[in-house]
Amino acid sequence: MKHTVTLIPGDGIGPEVVEAARRVIEASGVDIEWEVLNAGATALEKEGSLLPERLLASIRKNGVALKGPTTTPIGKGFRSVNVALRQTLDLYACLRPCRSYRGIPTHYENIDIVVVRENMEDLYIGIEYAHGTAEAEKFISLIESTGKKAPPGSGVGIKLISEEGSKRIVKFAFEYARANGRKKVTAVHKANIMKFTDGLFLEVAREVAKSYPDIVFEDRIIDMLTAQLVQQPNQFDVLVLPNLYGDIVSDLCAGLVGGLGVAPGANIGDKMAVFEPTHGSAPKYTGLNKVNPIATILSGVNMLRYLKEKTAADRVEKAVAAVLAEGKVATYDLKRDKADPTAVGTSQMADAIIEKLKS
Ligand code: NAD
């Protein structure tokens, strides 16, 4: 079956890792027509918009996109292009599987944790005012009118967590667990302190869990979770978290399995999905053919699964695993010594995976 997919090269190292992923995906034999459109700093320069309308229309039409990381230029209209993209398309679930592959130098083995991060709410909702502005002062007056104290001259950021938003992300985590043979979902929060935001998230999670008696449910306070992730990460299976904790914990989990170079991701809604690595545009490496394309290639693997191209997805993942296990062809981040002169570049890593696919 032929698929049409929106391809977003992105900024910085984006075009290099996206090109590597495109070549590997095509070598798997799937029939994909790519609609190449950009977002971020490059799109602003060429089209005058960080998030062009024709890009959004293409994703809405195709229902699937593979995206490179984007840079948000400061003071050009958006706090973050990514947050805006996720919010505009209602991509409420951020899925970040963190899995150990043999051959990557790490402190841990056999990690297989899936981070499900809520993408729309929490402190990322975008209600934030600089200290000393009329808006910040208005909020401070409002807080004081309720009998609470606010430090004078504060900057203000608002945390919003809704019942509906919590329900759909926790349901997403359980549905994912059920569909993928996972055994346990852990809800992460700070409900002991933030009783009415994280507390609501936890209350909803407990309620949703009742509909999934086949899956174990537990919860953890965020600070305790981070200690346990470092000491005994293998006890965790699927984690579901509000936006900010999800952002931090997904990078932590990426670190457990070898770093940002091997950490794939996806932003998923009810109607469409955008697959992208967890890492950013790493501007200092732009155009150097240096960084690891595996995070983007594995994001492509998850995209193939979403497109129901299971055989192709399994083949690509197996080829990636084989190249990693051999350890002969590896980018700098996969070397114990980051200055190892035998490290290869982005495109050579893709070549090695394509070679494995052919054999
Ligand atoms: P970053 O992820 O771009 O880079 C941090 C460091 O991680 C790099 O210096 C590099 O050492 C390492 N790294 C990242 N990707 C790698 C790869 N593929 N292979 C090997 N090593 C890799 O984070 P940053 O420097 O904080 O952010 C740079 C820009 O990216 C910012 O403008 C930020 O807003 C943006 N960003 C975009 C996304 C996205 O598009 N989804 C996500 C995060 C950050």
Side-chain angles (χ1 to χ4, degrees), residues 13 17 67-73 79-82 86 96 247 251 259-262 267 276-285 290-296 331-334:
I13 58 169
V17 290
K67 175 182 170 295
T70 44
T71 305
T72 307
R79 287 147 52 94
S80 159
V81 174
N82 292 306
R86 294 165 194 165
R96 289 178 169 171
D247 190 15
D251 275 31
L260 289 170
V262 292
N267 301 293
E276 64 173 345
T278 296
H279 65 74
S281 56
K284 69 178 176 191
Y285 293 126
K290 183 171 170 79
V291 298
N292 194 342
I294 285 182
T296 313
T331 43
Y332 80 99
D333 57 308
L334 299 174

Side-chain angles (χ1 to χ4, degrees), residues 131-286:
H131 76 107
T133 58
E135 290 91 346
E137 291 307 314
K138 226 183 208 172
F139 266 99
I140 289 169
S141 306
L142 181 69
I143 291 162
E144 285 172 343
S145 73
T146 66
K148 308 255 181 195
K149 281 209 169 116
S154 297
V156 175
I158 303 290
K159 174 168 169 127
L160 292 176
I161 290 191
S162 75
E163 187 176 356
E164 208 37 56
S166 303
K167 200 186 267 175
R168 70 175 177 168
I169 195 65
V170 177
K171 248 180 108 177
F172 181 96
F174 274 101
E175 288 294 329
Y176 177 88
R178 198 175 256 175
N180 292 278
R182 315 291 300 213
K183 304 271 178 293
K184 184 166 76 173
V185 171
T186 306
V188 184
H189 58 87
K190 186 81 183 170
N192 53 328
I193 303 293
M194 279 161 275
K195 296 184 181 5
F196 306 125
T197 46
D198 288 22
L200 176 61
F201 180 81
L202 176 59
E203 192 186 313
V204 169
R206 285 185 174 141
E207 200 50 44
V208 172
K210 289 181 189 158
S211 305
Y212 298 87
D214 48 321
I215 293 159
V216 175
F217 173 71
E218 58 174 27
D219 72 277
R220 286 284 191 290
I221 294 176
I222 178 69
D223 35 347
M224 193 203 287
L225 176 91
T226 51
Q228 292 182 341
L229 274 173
V230 173
Q231 286 190 303
Q232 259 195 314
N234 300 84
Q235 66 182 291
F236 296 108
D237 189 346
V238 176
L239 302 176
V240 60
L241 315 89
N243 208 335
L244 180 62
Y245 309 144
D247 190 15
I248 297 164
V249 167
S250 48
D251 275 31
L252 195 167
C253 290
L256 298 178
V257 296
L260 289 170
V262 292
N267 301 293
I268 303 176
D270 289 333
K271 297 194 185 117
M272 61 199 108
V274 175
F275 294 81
E276 64 173 345
T278 296
H279 65 74
S281 56
K284 69 178 176 191
Y285 293 126
T286 304

Side-chain angles (χ1 to χ4, degrees), residues 66-118:
L66 181 64
K67 175 182 170 295
T70 44
T71 305
T72 307
I74 293 163
K76 293 278 169 35
F78 283 129
R79 287 147 52 94
S80 159
V81 174
N82 292 306
V83 173
L85 179 71
R86 294 165 194 165
Q87 292 189 341
T88 307
L89 299 177
D90 199 25
L91 305 172
Y92 62 87
C94 182
L95 189 67
R96 289 178 169 171
C98 296
R99 209 184 132 191
S100 301
Y101 289 94
R102 228 157 35 86
I104 302 180
T106 57
H107 297 287
Y108 304 93
E109 283 175 358
N110 302 322
I111 305 283
D112 189 5
I113 299 173
V114 176
V115 178
V116 177
R117 164 190 174 191
E118 201 284 323

